[in-house]
């Protein structure tokens, strides 16, 4: 009869109960739930026990939101920032989702700290729970690693520079620091390889390790059992136990709900902002890490030089070791914190020290006006970019790509002119290059929809009191220029604004021998200036001084010409006024120049080169070149004219004979083909980059030379010397050529004319004073040489890339002959093999870094084109 009753009872069960029974018989889910929910807790449920479950909840939330973000994210230096911008600005609830993920990382750190404090104060690590504590400590470091790897992924300014600082810190570790930095970055600089490594670590490696150690942590916890309240015996609990279900489950779920509500409120009402795309060439950006790394950031400021290793390795290593070994250091079974004063004091000192360092870093930033202004400017730029419309990623013609979309179709000439007016009148100095605002002035995006054209025109001609209080000068423009400017303002924040600036302002007339005004439409030659004055002129232009003082300091309706204003001031007085303007100057809107003494002196030199404006009808600015010194006059008199006969060939070491039929040694071909001439000079005479090789056979034997070429020393590698891989025959030829460099007197003649280890003749302006006329002549010659340069289609695109990345700022017109800031590339970098040149552009040598060479972040196509352009540069005249 009992057998007949069983089917009847089974049929009386509900459908969910029958399904559960079916699963239980096949999976054992019932026993699993019993084991999980009926876990005995000595002394019963406590609110203090909710932090462990809260951590698991946040981690699962981070996994879910992270996977959703990964559906749209592209881990590439070219597209990472755009993909995050797309998530934030275009995807439905994308900003909310990203904010949940961002705030969740901080919440995980906070709850982790609370969990640690509860475990430490309760002494829950005592009584055979050493491995349980160690697994939790390891999980803590994995959580911090998740924060570090995820911080770079947006690829904005803040993420880029903070990660650069973080990876530089890793490089200070003795012996393996440089290797660790290269491992993290995928090379010497941050780029796509860095992003892909951080992305894989953040999405796969570290979460996988966290899942593994969470399982280990829970298994060890179930093995040891809950420790119970403070007064419980950690080995043999005596208090009556209570099951994990239902009270503790309800408390844990309530805590998880509070976390969800709190994160949701933060994400909805304070969405995370996204800053402008990373710009490695920005030397003004001040990186600051997330709040949980801020104390470490401040801690490193107290250590200098060789002592940094104590700050990065020794002291943090000792603290981390003590953290892991806490159960072995505090071995007694006493759990009450007031009975454990030494461990409690040690933990209190560390925690209070971290809080103090974090607060001090924040206070130091606020107390320094320069730092506070820069950080405020960065925050304003971040806010402006976040509010600007989304601009999709579009590769520009020739492979040069940007984060903004190229305007569809041909560029609007009126908008192009307006953009030129915007830049030429210094508007970008306050409102930002794209008009999105800075700390100094608000965003102009959408300004034409807020105010009528007539009102904007009036305010530009005659700023209102609020604008004047913000140092807004009156903009004196022709009707056509004003119309073009307003057209450009109307498209700010859209792809239509991504056009080249084509505005060419009419320059004041300069002094000439015939004193005739230039014909309409013709370009007026720039005045001949000294090297220092040229640097001052660049500073004058880049800081938009002409917005108030006019082009070339010729004055405006508000300010008289500069030459008359400074005529009675000495150089020292003028430098002091630039650094600390008088009350009258400040009332007129003049701000103190934030510049180095050298920059101030260069500005003074430029201002001294300005001539008074005549009062005649033409109102032309007369600016005569500075008179040449006797030395310059002698040099110019001795200089050959362009039509002079060709200079006879100079004997060069390394050739069998001298004259028209001279035959080079075979090793010279190896010397040139492997790029040795680019650094050591065309005849081994030495350059900016590397020392002279003349007479090297007196220092090293052929076998030693061969060994150094194959395996350069650390000093040679730091200078950019690669390992040369050639055949045995080529090595013998190369060593023979190097040995021959001291065979004739020609090398000494070269050295005597240039100076030992000096730069090539084309770059002598960087190491010796030149006259104003020589500088102007060199600039004109370089411009004409650049125009006449025969370029392949790929090299032509590379020339545009070269100009796009502002390489001409340091390397001069076309990069051919260099400036005082950087050497020329013709005859040096241009004769490097393509692979070697690309490697140097991606991974700078220490000399390049020390010389101020900014990090390059180019896509593969841009890199290929700029390498083609540099290699198309001709050898300097007279080069061998």
């Amino acid at each position: 009869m009992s057998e007949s009753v069983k089917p009847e009872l089974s049929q009386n069960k509900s459908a969910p109960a029958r399904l559960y029974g079916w699963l239980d018989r096949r999976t054992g889910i019932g026993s699993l739930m019993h084991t999980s929910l009926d876990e005995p807790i000595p002394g019963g449920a406590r609110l203090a026990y909710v932090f462990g479950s809260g951590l698991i909840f946040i981690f699962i939330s981070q996994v879910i939101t992270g996977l959703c973000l990964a559906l749209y994210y592209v881990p590439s230096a070219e597209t990472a920032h755009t993909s995050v911008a797309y998530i934030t600005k275009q995807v439905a609830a994308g900003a909310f989702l990203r904010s949940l993920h961002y705030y969740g990382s901080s919440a995980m750190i906070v709850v982790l700290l609370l969990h640690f404090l509860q475990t430490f104060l309760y002494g829950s690590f005592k009584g055979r729970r050493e491995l349980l504590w160690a697994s939790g400590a390891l999980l803590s470091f994995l959580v911090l690693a998740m924060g570090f790897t995820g911080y770079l992924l947006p690829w904005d300014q803040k993420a880029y520079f903070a990660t650069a600082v973080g990876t530089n810190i890793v490089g200070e570790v003795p012996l393996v620091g440089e290797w660790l930095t290269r491992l993290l970055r995928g090379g010497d600089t941050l780029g796509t390889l860095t992003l892909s490594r951080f992305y894989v670590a953040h999405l796969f490696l570290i979460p996988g390790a966290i899942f593994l150690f969470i399982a280990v942590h829970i298994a060890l916890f179930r093995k040891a059992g809950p420790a119970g309240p403070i007064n419980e015996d950690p080995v043999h609990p005596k208090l009556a136990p209570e099951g994990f279900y239902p009270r503790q489950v309800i408390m844990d779920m309530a805590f998880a709900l509070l976390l969800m509500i709190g994160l949701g409120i933060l994400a909805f009402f304070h969405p995370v902002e996204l800053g402008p795309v990373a710009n490695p060439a920005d030397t003004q950006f001040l990186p600051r890490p997330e709040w949980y790394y801020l104390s470490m950031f401040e801690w490193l400021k107290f250590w200098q030089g060789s002592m940094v290793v104590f700050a990065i390795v020794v002291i943090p290593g000792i603290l981390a070791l003590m953290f892991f070994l806490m159960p072995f250091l505090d071995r007694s079974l006493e759990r009450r914190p007031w009975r454990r004063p030494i461990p409690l004091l040690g933990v209190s000192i560390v925690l209070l020290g971290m809080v103090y360092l974090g607060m001090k870093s924040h206070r130091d930033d606020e107390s320094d006006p320069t730092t506070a202004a820069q950080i405020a400017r960065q925050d304003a730029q971040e806010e402006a970019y976040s509010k600007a419309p989304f601009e999709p990623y579009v590769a520009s013609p020739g492979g040069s790509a940007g984060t903004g979309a190229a305007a569809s179709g041909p560029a609007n000439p009126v908008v192009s002119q307006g953009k030129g007016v915007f830049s030429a009148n210094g508007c970008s100095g306050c409102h930002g290059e794209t008009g999105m605002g800075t700390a100094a002035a608000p965003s102009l995006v959408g300004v034409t929809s807020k105010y009528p054209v007539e009102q904007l025109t009036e305010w530009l001609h005659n700023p209102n009191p609020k604008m004047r209080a913000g140092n807004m000068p009156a903009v004196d423009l022709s009707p056509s220029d004003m119309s073009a400017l307003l057209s450009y303002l109307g498209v700010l924040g859209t792809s239509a604004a991504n056009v080249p600036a084509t505005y060419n302002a009419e320059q004041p007339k300069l002094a000439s021998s015939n004193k005739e005004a230039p014909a309409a439409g013709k370009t007026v030659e720039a005045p001949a200036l000294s090297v220092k004055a040229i640097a001052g002129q660049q500073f004058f232009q880049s800081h938009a001084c002409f917005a108030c003082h006019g082009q070339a300091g010729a004055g405006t309706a508000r300010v008289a010409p500069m030459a008359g204003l400074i005529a009675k001031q000495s150089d020292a007085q003028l430098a002091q006024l630039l650094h600390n303007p008088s009350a009258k100057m400040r009332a007129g809107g003049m701000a103190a120049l934030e510049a180095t003494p050298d920059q101030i002196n260069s500005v003074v030199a430029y201002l001294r080169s300005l001539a008074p404006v005549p009062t005649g009808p033409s109102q032309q600015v007369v600016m005569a070149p500075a008179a040449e010194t006797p030395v310059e006059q002698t040099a110019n008199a001795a200089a050959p004219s362009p039509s002079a006969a060709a200079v006879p060939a100079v004997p060069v070491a390394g050739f069998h004979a001298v004259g028209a039929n001279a035959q080079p040694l075979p090793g010279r071909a190896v010397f040139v083909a492997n790029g040795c001439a680019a650094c050591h000079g065309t005849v081994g005479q030495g350059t900016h980059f590397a020392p002279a090789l003349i007479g090297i056979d007196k220092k090293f034997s052929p076998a030693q030379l061969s060994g150094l070429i194959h395996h350069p020393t650390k000093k040679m590698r730091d200078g950019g010397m690669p390992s040369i891989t050639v055949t045995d025959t080529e090595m013998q030829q190369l060593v023979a050529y190097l040995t021959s460099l001291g065979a004739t007197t020609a090398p000494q003649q070269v050295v005597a004319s240039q100076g030992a280890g000096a730069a090539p003749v084309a770059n002598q302006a960087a190491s010796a004073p030149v006259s104003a006329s020589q500088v102007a002549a060199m600039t004109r010659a370089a411009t004409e040489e650049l125009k006449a340069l025969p370029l392949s289609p790929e090299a032509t695109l590379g020339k545009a890339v070269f100009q796009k990345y502002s390489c001409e700022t340091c390397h001069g017109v076309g990069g051919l002959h260099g400036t005082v800031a950087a050497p020329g590339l013709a005859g040096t970098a241009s004769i490097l093999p393509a692979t070697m040149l690309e490697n140097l552009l991606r991974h700078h040598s220490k000399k390049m870094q020390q010389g101020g060479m900014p990090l390059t972040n180019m896509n593969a196509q841009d890199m290929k084109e700029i390498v083609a352009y540099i290699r198309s540069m001709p050898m300097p005249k007279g080069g061998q």
Side-chain angles (χ1 to χ4, degrees):
M1 177 175 179
S2 60
E3 293 180 0
S4 63
V5 171
K6 286 182 180 178
E8 184 178 348
L9 292 174
S10 177
Q11 291 175 0
N12 291 335
K13 289 182 179 180
S14 63
R18 290 198 302 272
L19 177 60
Y20 179 80
W22 186 85
L23 289 173
D24 184 35
R25 287 190 295 274
R26 286 160 177 78
T27 63
I29 190 173
S31 60
L32 180 62
M33 294 295 290
H34 172 75
T35 304
S36 302
L37 298 178
D38 293 343
E39 174 191 1
I41 302 176
R46 295 281 195 282
L47 283 174
Y49 302 158
V50 301
F51 301 118
S53 299
L55 279 172
I56 295 178
F57 165 78
I58 298 175
F59 178 64
I60 293 174
S61 171
Q62 290 295 93
V63 170
I64 294 172
T65 55
L67 288 174
C68 292
L69 294 173
L71 295 175
Y72 298 94
Y73 184 74
V74 183
S76 162
E78 300 170 22
T79 54
H81 185 266
T82 309
S83 62
V84 176
Y86 179 76
I87 293 170
T88 306
K89 301 179 180 183
Q90 294 291 104
V91 175
F96 180 77
L97 192 69
R98 178 171 173 255
S99 300
L100 272 181
H101 193 74
Y102 176 85
Y103 288 124
S105 63
S106 292
M108 199 165 185
I109 301 292
V110 173
V111 177
L112 179 65
L113 180 60
L114 294 174
H115 185 51
F116 160 73
L117 289 175
Q118 182 270 322
T119 304
F120 171 76
L121 292 175
Y122 273 54
S124 300
F125 56 86
K126 295 176 178 288
R128 303 170 187 170
R129 293 177 175 81
E130 299 90 349
L131 293 179
L132 176 62
W133 173 270
S135 64
L138 186 57
L139 280 169
S140 302
F141 285 102
L142 288 173
V143 169
L144 289 174
M146 279 288 285
F148 179 68
T149 53
Y151 197 66
L152 175 67
L153 301 186
W155 200 248
D156 59 0
Q157 288 280 77
K158 182 168 62 176
Y160 180 92
F161 285 102
T163 305
V165 172
T167 51
N168 285 336
I169 291 173
V170 174
E172 296 294 334
V173 177
L175 302 178
V176 297
E178 185 175 349
W179 177 81
L180 286 174
T181 301
R182 289 181 62 86
L183 177 67
L184 288 173
R185 294 181 173 181
D188 292 329
T189 59
L190 271 65
T192 296
L193 284 178
T194 317
L195 262 179
S196 62
R197 294 185 181 207
F198 275 54
Y199 179 71
V200 169
H202 187 74
L203 200 66
F204 300 106
L205 301 182
I206 301 177
I210 290 178
F211 272 118
L212 174 63
F213 280 98
I214 283 178
V216 171
H217 193 68
I218 292 176
L220 291 172
F221 177 75
R222 298 306 300 270
K223 173 66 177 174
I230 270 180
N231 56 350
E232 178 63 287
D233 189 320
V235 180
H236 303 290
K238 299 179 177 59
L239 297 174
E242 178 185 352
F244 180 70
Y245 178 83
R247 289 184 64 214
Q248 192 62 51
V249 171
I250 294 174
M251 290 180 184
D252 288 354
M253 291 180 65
F255 182 63
L257 181 62
L258 287 176
L259 286 174
M260 187 170 16
I261 292 173
L263 291 174
I265 291 174
L266 275 175
F268 185 79
F269 290 103
H270 299 282
V272 179
E273 293 179 338
L274 178 67
V277 65
N279 176 18
D282 187 352
T283 58
Q284 302 298 319
F285 194 89
L286 295 178
R288 292 296 181 268
E290 278 296 287
W291 64 269
Y292 42 85
Y293 282 119
L294 199 57
S295 55
M296 184 65 177
F297 174 78
E298 183 67 21
W299 164 255
L300 295 175
K301 295 180 183 178
F302 294 94
W303 304 83
Q304 300 292 334
S306 60
M307 299 298 291
V308 171
V309 70
F310 286 91
I312 295 175
V313 179
V314 178
I315 297 177
I318 292 174
L319 292 177
L321 187 62
M322 292 177 68
F323 180 47
F324 272 92
L325 299 180
M326 181 75 72
F328 300 97
L329 299 175
D330 188 6
R331 297 175 59 86
S332 70
L333 296 181
E334 177 59 62
R335 297 177 58 190
R336 290 168 292 185
W338 54 87
R339 295 291 184 90
R340 297 183 289 134
I342 295 179
L344 184 63
L345 180 63
V347 171
S348 300
I349 290 174
V350 173
L351 291 179
L352 290 175
M354 292 173 65
V355 172
Y356 167 75
L357 289 172
M359 294 176 63
K360 184 177 185 302
S361 177
H362 185 69
R363 188 173 64 250
D364 288 349
D365 286 345
E366 289 184 338
S367 60
D368 183 1
T370 303
T371 302
Q374 177 60 28
I375 292 178
R377 189 177 302 114
Q378 293 170 189
D379 292 341
Q381 290 171 350
E382 187 175 275
E383 181 181 0
Y385 182 85
S386 297
K387 292 180 179 179
F390 171 70
E391 294 184 7
Y393 171 86
V394 176
S396 61
S400 300
T403 52
S408 58
N412 186 329
V414 178
V415 174
S416 295
Q417 183 186 358
K419 186 174 184 179
V421 175
F422 185 84
S423 300
N425 285 273
C427 309
S428 57
C430 295
H431 293 284
E433 290 185 5
T434 56
M436 292 185 179
T438 66
S443 170
L444 297 176
V445 175
V447 69
T448 55
S449 62
K450 296 178 182 178
Y451 305 103
V453 172
E454 296 77 10
Q455 183 69 68
L456 288 174
T457 304
E458 174 60 25
W459 280 344
L460 287 169
H461 280 306
N462 185 23
N464 61 34
K466 184 177 180 181
M467 296 165 69
R468 290 186 181 276
N471 294 326
M472 171 72 183
V475 182
D476 187 16
L477 298 175
S478 65
S480 61
D481 284 350
M482 181 64 75
S483 177
L485 176 60
L486 292 174
S487 297
Y488 175 65
L489 296 181
V491 299
L492 284 178
T494 69
S495 60
N498 298 325
V499 295
T502 58
Y503 176 69
N504 292 312
E506 225 177 89
Q507 300 292 328
K509 186 181 184 305
L510 307 176
S512 61
S513 57
N514 55 14
K515 300 294 187 296
E516 292 178 357
K522 290 187 178 181
T523 304
V524 182
E525 286 188 359
L529 303 174
S530 67
V531 174
K532 181 180 288 188
I534 289 175
Q537 184 186 39
Q538 292 175 350
F539 190 98
F540 187 88
Q541 296 290 335
S542 64
H543 285 68
C545 305
F546 53 81
C548 293
H549 293 284
Q551 291 290 340
T556 63
R558 296 178 59 206
V559 184
M562 287 295 301
L565 291 176
I566 65 174
K568 297 182 179 179
Q569 306 289 340
S570 66
D571 287 358
Q573 291 173 326
L574 185 54
Q576 177 61 27
L577 285 173
L578 291 172
H579 185 69
N580 185 23
S582 64
K584 183 177 180 181
M585 294 165 66
R586 290 183 183 276
M590 174 70 181
L593 285 186
E594 295 178 2
T596 64
D598 287 342
Q599 290 173 325
I600 292 286
N601 291 337
S602 68
V603 174
V604 171
Y606 172 63
L607 297 180
R608 290 298 183 202
S609 70
L610 304 178
V613 179
T615 58
S618 62
Q619 292 294 316
Q620 59 187 11
V621 178
V622 180
M623 203 179 296
E628 295 179 345
T629 63
V631 175
E632 293 167 349
Q633 292 171 354
T634 304
N636 292 336
S641 65
S643 60
V647 180
V650 179
V652 178
F655 285 74
H656 286 300
V658 177
N661 298 322
Q663 298 296 323
L665 290 173
R668 176 164 177 78
V670 181
F671 183 81
V672 173
N674 284 276
C676 309
C679 295
H680 292 284
T682 54
V683 292
Q685 78 275 17
T687 69
H688 279 89
F689 305 103
L693 298 176
I694 297 165
I696 197 170
D697 59 314
K698 304 295 190 298
K699 300 179 181 178
F700 303 102
S701 66
Q704 289 174 321
L705 276 176
S706 178
L708 287 172
I709 293 170
H710 269 312
H711 306 290
T713 64
K714 183 179 184 302
K715 183 177 180 181
M716 294 165 68
R717 291 197 304 273
D718 290 345
M721 171 74 178
S723 176
I724 305 297
T725 304
V726 293
T727 64
D728 291 341
T729 302
E730 289 173 333
M731 178 61 74
Q732 292 174 2
Q733 294 171 347
L734 178 59
V735 170
Y737 173 70
L738 297 178
T739 303
S740 74
L741 291 178
T744 69
T745 58
Q748 284 76 11
Q749 295 170 2
V750 174
V751 174
S753 64
Q754 291 186 327
V761 176
N763 294 326
Q764 280 187 359
S767 56
V770 294
S771 69
S773 58
Q774 286 176 318
V775 172
M778 288 169 62
T779 303
R780 287 193 297 271
T783 304
E784 293 302 320
E785 187 176 354
L786 184 63
K787 291 178 181 177
L789 201 62
L791 299 175
S792 66
E794 187 175 51
T796 302
L797 294 173
K799 175 184 171 185
V801 175
F802 190 84
Q803 294 170 340
K804 167 190 170 184
Y805 284 92
S806 303
C807 305
E808 289 185 325
T809 303
C810 294
H811 291 285
V813 177
L816 298 175
H817 303 304
T819 67
V820 293
L825 303 177
T828 54
S830 65
I831 58 177
L832 284 173
T835 53
M836 189 180 298
L837 177 57
E838 179 175 346
N839 185 61
L840 273 176
L841 289 173
R842 292 197 184 279
H843 311 295
H844 303 155
S845 68
K846 287 195 174 181
K847 279 194 174 182
M848 294 166 70
Q849 296 172 15
Q850 292 167 357
M853 174 77 173
L855 299 176
T856 48
N857 180 29
M858 300 182 189
N859 58 44
Q861 185 65 27
D862 279 359
M863 181 60 72
K864 183 179 179 182
E865 290 164 359
I866 198 170
V867 167
Y869 170 64
I870 293 174
R871 283 174 51 79
S872 70
M873 295 180 183
M875 291 286 291
K877 294 179 181 179
Q880 299 295 331

